[in-house]
Amino acid sequence: MTTTPVERPPDQSLDDFSAVFDAYFSEIHRYVVQRLGPGPAEDVVAEAFLTAFRKRARYDPAKAGVRTWLYGIVTNLIHKHRRTEVRALRAVDRHGPPADAPSHEERVAAQVSAESLRPALAEAIARLGRGERDVLLLTALAGLSHEEIAAALGISYGTVGSRLSRARAKIRAALGGANPMEANHG
């Protein structure tokens, strides 16, 4: 299998890591912003490049190009971040919102539901499968279209629709039929 110039520029190797960073940072950052939003993206992308730098001696160009390798690293970090997010959403459900400053999870819940539905909604979102949660949050928070979500997640347009439909049905069921997008509590 040969790689294309986009995959691995001919004169680029991991020996000049600053060139790797310059070549791929913007693209990787855009991807993570699409998946997690701008706040967590900074930390996740920084951790991805730090991980790549630390593991550069183990990089095998026969297995994947640099770009693909970086996407693999960042995807694993996104999933790690999401596991942390699910734990935090469940904590919000158990303990209610912290009294001091709003957390990321509170901002997510506030954008998706009315204040009175927050704990139940947080738990319902946390209980969704990863694929359903990804599609729901990309729709509700990022405002991405089905086509954009399909491209970002590498799934078909139909899969986006079915995951979104299942996620909405599960959320409504968990909220006793309430629609958090129609709730009007101040």
Side-chain angles (χ1 to χ4, degrees), residues 83-99 103 105-106 109 117-127:
R83 285 189 300 269
T84 302
E85 181 180 56
V86 167
R87 286 192 297 271
L89 285 167
R90 288 187 177 140
V92 167
D93 180 50
R94 283 191 307 272
H95 304 293
S103 68
E105 293 73 31
E106 287 180 295
L117 296 176
R118 182 178 294 164
L121 182 62
E123 178 60 24
I125 292 171
R127 288 179 186 259

Side-chain angles (χ1 to χ4, degrees), residues 169-185:
K170 289 176 182 180
I171 296 293
R172 275 192 296 273
L175 299 178
N179 182 346
M181 299 306 287
E182 293 175 358
N184 193 13
H185 302 290

Side-chain angles (χ1 to χ4, degrees), residues 4 10 21 23 35-36 53 56 64 69 72 80-81 123 171 177 186:
T4 64
F21 180 87
R35 297 285 307 266
L36 299 176
F53 181 77
R56 68 190 184 282
W69 181 65
K80 177 182 170 187
H81 174 81
E123 178 60 24
I171 296 293

Side-chain angles (χ1 to χ4, degrees), residues 11-22 53 56:
D11 296 328
Q12 184 177 328
S13 74
L14 292 180
D15 294 334
D16 183 4
F17 200 80
S18 65
V20 171
F21 180 87
D22 291 342
F53 181 77
R56 68 190 184 282

Side-chain angles (χ1 to χ4, degrees), residues 159-173:
T159 300
V160 171
S162 63
R163 286 182 183 177
L164 184 58
S165 178
R166 283 193 308 268
R168 287 176 172 162
K170 289 176 182 180
I171 296 293
R172 275 192 296 273

Side-chain angles (χ1 to χ4, degrees), residues 87-157:
R87 286 192 297 271
L89 285 167
R90 288 187 177 140
V92 167
D93 180 50
R94 283 191 307 272
H95 304 293
D100 52 357
S103 68
H104 172 69
E105 293 73 31
E106 287 180 295
R107 290 188 305 273
V108 168
Q111 288 179 326
V112 178
S113 75
E115 184 74 26
S116 64
L117 296 176
R118 182 178 294 164
L121 182 62
E123 178 60 24
I125 292 171
R127 288 179 186 259
L128 292 174
R130 182 170 61 199
E132 292 169 348
R133 185 173 48 254
D134 288 349
V135 169
L136 178 70
L137 295 178
L138 284 170
T139 300
L141 301 182
L144 297 183
S145 69
H146 281 47
E147 293 88 1
E148 291 169 319
I149 294 169
L153 300 180
I155 58 178
S156 73
Y157 180 92

